[in-house]
């Protein structure tokens, strides 16, 4: 695998070293440069649906793609964390670290994760910047009124019934990005249109 490895050992000095991200050419001539695309937004905003649609298109074009699902990360990487501000921050940082490792090795890492706090998202962006790895922030700006009707996981209904609390955008804060690289209003356009807008951004940045 090309790109920066988690850890390497010099044959001369015996010390650990990290090499910078590299760019390769895919089987269809597409760019092999990795990047992280973080899709932030409220629960049921459509983040994962758009990410999966984009992933399908990128894979069809020969790109290496991984979608980092927030629920799976919670289960396998952040199982001991709750939903306090501190724990949410830690969870976002962990996901950002994994995404950057993938991206630095030529993978398009798509991250449809709420990440409700601006400082957490900025920490992830800064980590990518410090490593010289591409990072794009996409705000899936679906209004809470629309999200609560979609209610894919039944969270809004449970919150309304008093079964849960701390639901982002309802009784827990969501700090929307001020200047995302792209803002998608999924309630006014189809999933293919949303994925196409995101693909166009990647193309514009030389990543697709």
């Amino acid at each position: 695998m090309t790109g920066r490895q988690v850890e390497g050992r010099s044959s001369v000095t015996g010390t650990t070293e990290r090499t910078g991200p590299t760019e390769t050419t895919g089987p269809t001539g597409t760019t092999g440069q990795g990047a992280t695309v973080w899709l932030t937004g409220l629960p049921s905003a459509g983040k994962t649906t758009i990410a999966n649609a984009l992933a399908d298109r990128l894979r069809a074009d020969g790109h290496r793609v991984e979608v980092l699902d927030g629920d799976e990360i919670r289960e396998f990487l952040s199982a001991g964390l709750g939903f306090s501000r501190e724990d949410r921050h830690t969870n976002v940082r962990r996901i950002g670290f994994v995404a950057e490792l993938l991206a630095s090795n030529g993978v398009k890492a798509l991250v449809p994760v709420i990440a409700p706090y601006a400082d957490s998202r900025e920490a992830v962006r800064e980590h990518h910047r410090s490593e010289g790895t591409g990072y794009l922030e996409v705000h899936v700006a679906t209004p809470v009124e629309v999200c609560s009707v979609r209610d894919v996981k039944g969270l809004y209904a449970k919150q309304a019934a008093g079964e849960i609390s701390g639901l982002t955008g309802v009784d827990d804060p969501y700090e929307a990005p001020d200047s995302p690289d792209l803002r998608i209003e999924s309630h006014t356009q189809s999933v293919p249109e949303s994925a196409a807008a995101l693909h166009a951004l990647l193309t514009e940045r030389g990543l697709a």
Side-chain angles (χ1 to χ4, degrees):
M1 180 180 288
T2 60
R4 196 183 68 256
Q5 306 299 315
V6 178
E7 183 177 284
R9 191 160 299 273
S10 167
S11 60
V12 177
T13 64
T15 58
T16 57
E17 60 182 16
R18 300 178 80 193
T19 58
T22 61
E23 182 174 339
T24 59
T25 301
T28 60
T30 56
T31 175
Q33 182 179 352
T36 293
V37 181
W38 197 295
L39 296 88
T40 177
L42 297 175
S44 295
K47 304 179 296 299
T48 300
T49 302
I50 295 169
N52 285 330
L54 176 63
D56 289 343
R57 179 168 179 178
L58 290 172
R59 290 186 183 114
D61 289 340
H63 295 276
R64 296 159 61 206
V65 184
E66 290 292 341
V67 178
L68 300 183
D69 180 83
D71 291 337
E72 292 179 353
I73 294 290
R74 278 277 179 181
E75 180 178 358
F76 296 107
L77 188 62
S78 298
L81 297 178
F83 292 91
S84 66
R85 181 173 186 131
E86 180 179 354
D87 282 357
R88 289 177 188 266
H89 181 72
T90 299
N91 185 51
V92 168
R93 292 287 299 272
R94 288 179 181 178
I95 298 171
F97 178 79
V98 173
E100 194 279 326
L101 280 179
L102 289 169
S104 69
N105 283 282
V107 177
K108 303 294 190 301
L110 310 184
V111 188
V113 173
I114 296 170
Y117 299 112
D119 59 347
S120 300
R121 298 193 302 268
E122 182 56 32
V124 173
R125 182 187 290 274
E126 180 55 37
H127 175 60
H128 281 69
R129 184 183 296 118
S130 69
E131 297 293 344
T133 304
Y135 179 84
L136 297 174
E137 182 179 81
V138 177
H139 181 203
V140 183
T142 310
V144 66
E145 296 81 8
V146 176
C147 294
S148 62
V149 172
R150 292 178 178 174
D151 203 10
V152 177
K153 300 175 183 177
L155 298 177
Y156 292 93
K158 290 181 180 179
Q159 191 278 335
E163 297 176 15
I164 62 171
S165 61
L167 180 59
T168 300
V170 179
D171 58 353
D172 211 55
Y174 176 72
E175 299 170 0
D178 291 326
S179 302
D181 295 283
L182 178 67
R183 198 181 308 276
I184 293 175
E185 297 184 350
S186 72
H187 56 297
T188 65
Q189 59 191 45
S190 67
V191 171
E193 288 171 336
S194 297
L198 187 42
H199 188 274
L201 174 65
L202 290 171
T203 301
E204 176 187 317
R205 301 293 174 88
L207 297 169

